[in-house]
């Protein structure tokens, strides 16, 4: 019995008969690799800061052994929650993008490109400016509401035409995003200056201020949304073949679609509520995952999440160190990486439709 | 080429009647723009100040030093951006084209921020030149992307290329901004597109260039109608398309750069006005271009009045209002194309 790897197909020889078998070995391998990469980035980022710390000191601090009061404090109260928040948010934006791409059958969809993140942004700014005494626990719910409204708006604008082109869908998002940003700016001009300054860095997508309560909230929401997404995704393979085929295959098309949109919006809204809009993560991570491991829906989602987490952690790290002491918000870094990748994907999509 | 044939009589009359009406309207908005502000001035004081200036009169000083420059900047920027939009829509045959959407403004703004922050160029002649370089660079970049993507010259893809170039340059601008925060205290308002705090010195540098570019645009307007029908048609009609496009590119870059230098990036003005103009002029650029100039001037003045009056005493950036009005129209136009 021997196995011959031929582009992720594993051919099994049993009693002289050849049986082709598709094992997700590749995907699993990539998942482990990307998790290791994520761990490495996080470990490195824990050593970086105004108080330089060696890797062994970080390890000792994290394992409960005290190094020095300052280092314990810096690592536990600032760097560690920040790194965890970056990872969680990255995974959430990535999963949001994956779900949006599945439900719209549009490879160019991303929560920040179609205005979903901006909807959360406007809602949060409105809450901060208009109702300063509002409960902080309301923030994620308000963000969710804002994103949901935008998602409904975009869907109703594009779904009037069946098979609306990718480009038109994204452009609609660009228009809606411009409109929402203008609305946000009005609130910021009109609002109390101290309140406005508190949301200003946040609007650029910065993980600077993340703390343990943010991490808790992100983790709690992920714990609800991720299983929901995995459950719904079992039907996405059918969905991708088109509504009619999917219905014929017995998939509850309408409910799967509503569910996917809701989870996508949920992921993006909570991520935005904590760190602000981070563009292009939801575009890059699912595509990278699909390139690395084209098969297996659940594995693809997990790989997407791991890659998104690594991407945002890396973006945060680069933003912190590249031009230190100036901190460049992670959102700007992902924008700068994301645009060229978006163009490559656009070119590929255009080629395919032209042929 | 777009004479009586094929144009409805309604449009034919409205073309001629519209001009005096529009000019009268602009004169009214102009006076209103000067009269309204943090301190309300009666219209007779405005007339008095404009016709017989008395240097010892405080109100006259307000008008001449603060309000008149702002009104003039608003008019010339509004006219320039609208004409730039009209020209771009004609050349690219893309109804969504305008300097903001196709990335030229982001290019100009980035070049200015880079020049000020990294190279320390702050004088009045350097800023418009940097803006021109940036606008030209961005235009070339968007064109190259459109060539590189299959079918990229189609209106939607070209617009998308502009939108992502805008996003990219916007992020770069923010980075430059963060790195040299102190250098930009006085440019913060400018970057969101505003007519506030303009003095006459920049207008004296950029103004003449803008006026020359506007006049050249009027002169070229007739040929754009032919170009908008397609390259072959234009050539058959005896238009030297290459030369015409080069001239139009110079016009568009000059108009955009001058406007950005004066008022920062003001989005959607060049999109909205030519579309409104088309409603009563039909498709001939001989009419669209001058009407865009006139209506654009009035439009930006009116928007600026709103920017100052809506949330008094706070003032909103003019660019925010042009986006609030323009973005829904942009969405509507994409929606229209879907059908």
């Amino acid at each position: 019995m021997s196995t011959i790897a031929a582009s992720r197909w594993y051919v099994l020889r049993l009693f002289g008969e050849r049986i082709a078998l598709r094992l997700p070995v590749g995907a699993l391998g990539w998942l482990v690799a990307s998790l290791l990469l994520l761990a490495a980035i996080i470990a490195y980022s824990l050593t970086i800061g105004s108080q330089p710390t060696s890797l062994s000191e970080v390890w000792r601090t994290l394992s409960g052994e005290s190094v020095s009061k300052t280092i314990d404090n810096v690592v536990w109260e600032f760097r560690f929650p920040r790194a965890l928040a970056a990872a969680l948010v990255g995974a959430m934006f990535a999963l949001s993008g994956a779900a949006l791409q599945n439900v719209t059958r549009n490879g160019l969809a991303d929560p920040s490109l179609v205005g979903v993140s901006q909807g959360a942004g406007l809602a949060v700014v409105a809450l901060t400016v208009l109702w300063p005494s509002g409960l902080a626990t309301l923030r994620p719910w308000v963000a969710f509401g804002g994103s949901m409204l935008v998602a409904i708006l975009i869907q109703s604008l594009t779904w009037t035409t069946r098979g609306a082109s990718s480009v038109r869908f994204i452009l609609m998002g660009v228009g809606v995003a411009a409109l929402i940003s203008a609305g946000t700016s009005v609130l910021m001009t009109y609002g109390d200056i101290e309140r406005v300054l508190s949301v200003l860095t946040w609007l650029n997508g910065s993980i600077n201020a993340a703390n343990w309560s943010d991490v808790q909230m992100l983790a709690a929401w992920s714990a609800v949304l991720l299983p929901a997404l995995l459950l719904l995704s079992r039907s996405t393979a059918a969905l991708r073949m088109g509504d009619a085929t999917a219905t014929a295959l017995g998939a509850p098309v309408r409910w799967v679609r509503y569910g996917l949109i809701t989870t996508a919006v949920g992921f993006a809204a909570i991520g935005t509520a904590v760190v602000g809009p981070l563009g292009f993560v939801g575009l890059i991570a699912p595509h990278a995952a699909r390139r690395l491991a084209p098969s297996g829906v659940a594995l693809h989602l997990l790989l997407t999440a791991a890659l998104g987490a690594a991407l945002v952690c890396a973006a945060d790290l680069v933003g912190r160190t590249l031009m230190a002491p100036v901190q460049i918000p992670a959102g700007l870094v992902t924008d700068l990486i994301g645009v060229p990748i978006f163009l490559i994907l656009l070119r590929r999509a255009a080629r395919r439709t032209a042929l | 080429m777009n004479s009586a044939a094929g144009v409805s009589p309604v449009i034919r009359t409205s073309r001629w009647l519209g001009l005096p009406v529009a000019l009268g309207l602009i004169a009214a908005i102009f006076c209103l723009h000067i009269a309204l502000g943090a301190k309300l001035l009666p219209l007779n004081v405005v007339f008095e100040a404009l016709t017989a200036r008395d240097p010892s009169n405080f109100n006259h000083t307000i008008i001449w030093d603060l309000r008149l420059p702002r009104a003039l900047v608003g008019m010339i920027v509004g006219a320039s951006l609208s004409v730039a939009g009209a020209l771009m829509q004609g050349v690219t045959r893309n109804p969504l084209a305008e300097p903001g959407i196709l990335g030229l403004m982001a290019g100009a703004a980035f070049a200015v921020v880079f020049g000020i922050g990294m190279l320390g160029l702050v004088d009045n002649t350097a800023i418009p030149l940097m803006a021109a370089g940036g606008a030209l660079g961005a235009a070339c970049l968007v064109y190259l992307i459109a060539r590189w993507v299959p079918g990229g010259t189609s209106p939607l893809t070209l617009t998308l290329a502009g939108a992502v170039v805008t996003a990219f340059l916007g992020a770069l601008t923010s980075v430059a901004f963060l790195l040299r925060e102190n250098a930009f205290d006085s440019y913060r308002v400018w970057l969101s597109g505003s007519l506030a705090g303009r003095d006459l010195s920049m207008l004296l540098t950029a103004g003449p260039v803008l006026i020359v570019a506007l006049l050249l645009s009027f002169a070229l307007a007739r040929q754009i109608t032919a170009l908008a029908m397609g390259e072959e048609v234009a050539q058959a009609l005896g238009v030297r398309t290459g030369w015409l496009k080069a001239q139009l590119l110079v016009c568009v870059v000059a108009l955009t750069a001058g406007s950005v230098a004066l008022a920062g990036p003001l989005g959607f003005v060049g999109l909205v006005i030519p579309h409104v103009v088309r409603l009563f002029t039909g498709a001939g650029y001989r009419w669209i271009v001058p009407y865009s100039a006139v209506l654009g001037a009035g439009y930006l003045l009116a928007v600026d009045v709103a920017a100052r009056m809506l949330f008094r005493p706070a003032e909103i950036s003019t660019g925010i209002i042009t986006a609030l009005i323009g973005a829904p129209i942009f969405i509507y136009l994409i929606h229209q194309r879907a059908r």
Side-chain angles (χ1 to χ4, degrees):
Chain A
M1 196 168 81
S2 67
T3 54
I4 303 155
S7 74
R8 293 192 198 87
W9 282 81
Y10 293 84
V11 183
L12 209 65
R13 276 179 209 277
L14 265 180
F15 310 112
E17 292 292 315
R18 290 201 305 175
I19 300 163
L21 204 66
R22 198 162 202 179
L23 289 173
V25 177
L28 267 177
W30 284 115
L31 182 60
V32 172
S34 51
L35 286 173
L36 285 176
L37 176 70
L38 174 64
I41 296 173
I42 290 181
Y44 180 61
S45 74
L46 291 181
T47 67
I48 301 284
S50 55
Q51 178 81 36
T53 320
S54 76
L55 210 53
S56 66
E57 283 173 328
V58 167
W59 176 249
R60 268 160 47 210
T61 304
L62 288 186
S63 55
E65 202 183 316
S66 176
V67 181
S68 79
K69 204 145 193 197
T70 11
I71 291 182
D72 286 357
N73 191 33
V74 160
V75 171
W76 272 109
E77 292 311 312
F78 295 100
R79 296 186 196 161
F80 200 38
R82 178 177 185 163
L84 287 183
L88 281 169
V89 156
M92 292 174 94
F93 278 116
L95 289 173
S96 175
L100 274 182
Q101 286 168 19
N102 276 336
V103 78
T104 57
R105 267 177 262 139
N106 183 338
L108 298 174
D110 173 87
S112 73
L113 277 177
V114 299
V116 169
S117 297
Q118 285 84 349
L122 177 61
V124 169
V125 172
L127 179 75
T128 329
V129 169
L130 300 178
W131 193 33
S133 61
L135 296 168
T137 44
L138 271 182
R139 218 183 202 205
W141 295 102
V142 169
F144 182 75
S147 297
M148 203 66 202
L149 283 179
V150 172
I152 292 169
L153 177 69
I154 300 223
Q155 285 291 339
S156 57
L157 282 172
T158 43
W159 264 357
T160 46
T161 50
R162 233 155 238 295
S165 86
S166 308
V167 174
R168 192 178 299 127
F169 177 76
I170 304 292
L171 275 178
M172 200 69 93
V174 170
V176 170
L179 185 62
I180 292 172
S181 315
T184 310
S185 307
V186 170
L187 281 173
M188 309 229 340
T189 321
Y190 166 71
D192 176 50
I193 186 75
E194 269 175 43
R195 301 265 144 212
V196 166
L197 286 176
S198 73
V199 282
L200 203 59
T201 21
W202 170 82
L203 271 179
N204 261 336
S206 168
I207 309 168
N208 211 350
N211 55 33
W212 279 112
S213 72
D214 292 333
V215 174
Q216 274 171 7
M217 192 180 73
L218 290 169
W221 280 81
S222 305
V224 178
L225 290 171
L226 183 61
L229 182 59
L230 288 173
L231 214 64
L232 286 164
S233 297
R234 292 195 298 185
S235 309
T236 53
L239 211 63
R240 224 176 289 153
M241 293 177 215
D243 286 5
T245 319
T247 314
L249 287 171
V253 171
R254 177 175 299 207
W255 294 110
V256 169
R257 175 167 283 151
Y258 289 156
L260 276 176
I261 291 177
T262 312
T263 30
V265 164
F267 274 125
I270 309 310
T272 310
V274 174
V275 303
L278 285 186
F280 295 102
V281 178
L283 181 80
I284 300 170
H287 278 282
R290 203 163 294 130
R291 283 224 108 178
L292 295 175
S295 61
V297 175
L299 263 175
H300 171 254
L301 285 177
L302 294 178
L303 186 55
T304 299
L307 288 174
L311 177 64
V312 172
C313 283
D316 188 40
L317 187 62
V318 167
R320 265 165 66 188
T321 51
L322 196 64
M323 302 278 184
V326 177
Q327 297 220 345
I328 298 169
L332 291 182
V333 180
T334 58
D335 278 354
L336 291 177
I337 307 169
V339 166
I341 294 179
F342 175 82
L343 289 174
I344 292 170
L345 294 173
L346 173 68
R347 186 178 192 218
R348 206 184 300 149
R351 258 201 198 139
R352 207 174 303 134
T353 44
L355 284 172
Chain B
M1 58 202 64
N2 197 347
S3 54
V7 177
S8 78
V10 181
I11 280 188
R12 227 181 306 156
T13 25
S14 71
R15 277 171 171 178
W16 286 110
L17 278 179
L19 219 49
V21 173
L23 286 173
L25 213 62
I26 284 177
I29 301 172
F30 183 75
C31 293
L32 207 66
H33 185 275
I34 291 179
L36 295 173
K39 182 178 187 200
L40 299 175
L41 299 172
L43 279 176
N44 58 329
V45 175
V46 174
F47 289 129
E48 223 177 84
L50 292 180
T51 49
R53 184 184 179 187
D54 172 10
S56 62
N57 187 326
F58 181 60
N59 285 341
H60 289 198
T61 312
I62 294 184
I63 289 175
W64 277 90
D65 288 357
L66 300 172
R67 303 232 175 131
L68 191 62
R70 184 171 180 159
L72 290 176
V73 167
M75 279 177 52
I76 196 158
V77 167
S80 302
L81 290 178
S82 307
V83 167
L87 300 186
M88 290 171 84
Q89 287 170 17
V91 176
T92 60
R93 291 203 273 162
N94 177 355
L96 300 169
E98 69 112 19
I101 293 168
L102 287 198
L104 274 70
M105 261 183 201
F110 170 67
V112 170
V113 166
F114 187 81
I116 293 173
M118 306 292 156
L119 312 174
L121 302 166
V122 283
D123 61 288
N124 278 346
T125 40
I127 290 177
L129 282 178
M130 289 184 296
L136 185 63
C140 294
L141 189 61
V142 170
Y143 175 73
L144 286 177
I145 290 173
R147 285 281 304 268
W148 181 67
V149 173
T153 39
S154 82
L156 289 173
T157 328
L158 187 64
T159 313
L160 191 57
V164 290
V165 165
T166 300
F168 190 75
L169 292 171
L172 277 182
T173 307
S174 302
V175 171
F177 210 85
L178 284 170
L179 291 179
R180 294 278 190 281
E181 213 155 351
N182 304 331
F184 293 115
D185 274 347
S186 46
Y187 294 91
R188 214 172 275 279
V189 182
W190 170 83
L191 207 58
S192 63
S194 170
L195 304 177
R198 300 291 107 196
D199 58 16
L200 278 173
S201 62
M202 182 69 92
L203 187 60
L204 291 178
T205 350
V209 180
L210 287 177
I211 290 170
V212 170
L214 281 173
L215 292 177
L216 180 58
S217 311
F218 296 162
L220 297 173
R222 240 175 207 282
Q223 299 178 56
I224 304 173
T225 313
L227 197 61
M229 288 188 242
E231 200 121 342
E232 291 82 7
V233 180
Q235 273 162 359
L237 287 169
V239 176
R240 289 158 65 199
T241 52
W243 173 232
L244 176 61
K245 279 182 175 174
Q247 286 171 298
L248 289 173
L249 180 67
V250 170
C251 284
V252 166
V253 167
L255 291 170
T256 307
S259 303
V260 172
L262 279 172
L266 284 170
F268 295 106
V269 177
L271 176 80
V272 172
I273 296 303
H275 280 282
V276 173
V277 167
R278 266 192 209 98
L279 296 178
F280 57 87
T281 61
Y285 279 84
R286 191 182 131 205
W287 292 94
I288 292 175
V289 172
Y291 260 114
S292 293
V294 175
L295 283 193
Y299 171 69
L300 202 55
L301 275 180
V303 164
D304 198 41
V305 171
R308 287 193 303 180
M309 303 309 288
L310 274 180
F311 291 99
R312 283 210 311 162
E315 184 174 307
I316 312 179
S317 285
T318 318
I320 295 172
I321 302 192
T322 58
L324 278 178
I325 300 172
I329 295 175
F330 177 74
I331 294 169
Y332 170 77
L333 289 172
I334 297 170
H335 193 63
Q336 281 300 98
R337 288 193 70 80
R339 286 196 255 159

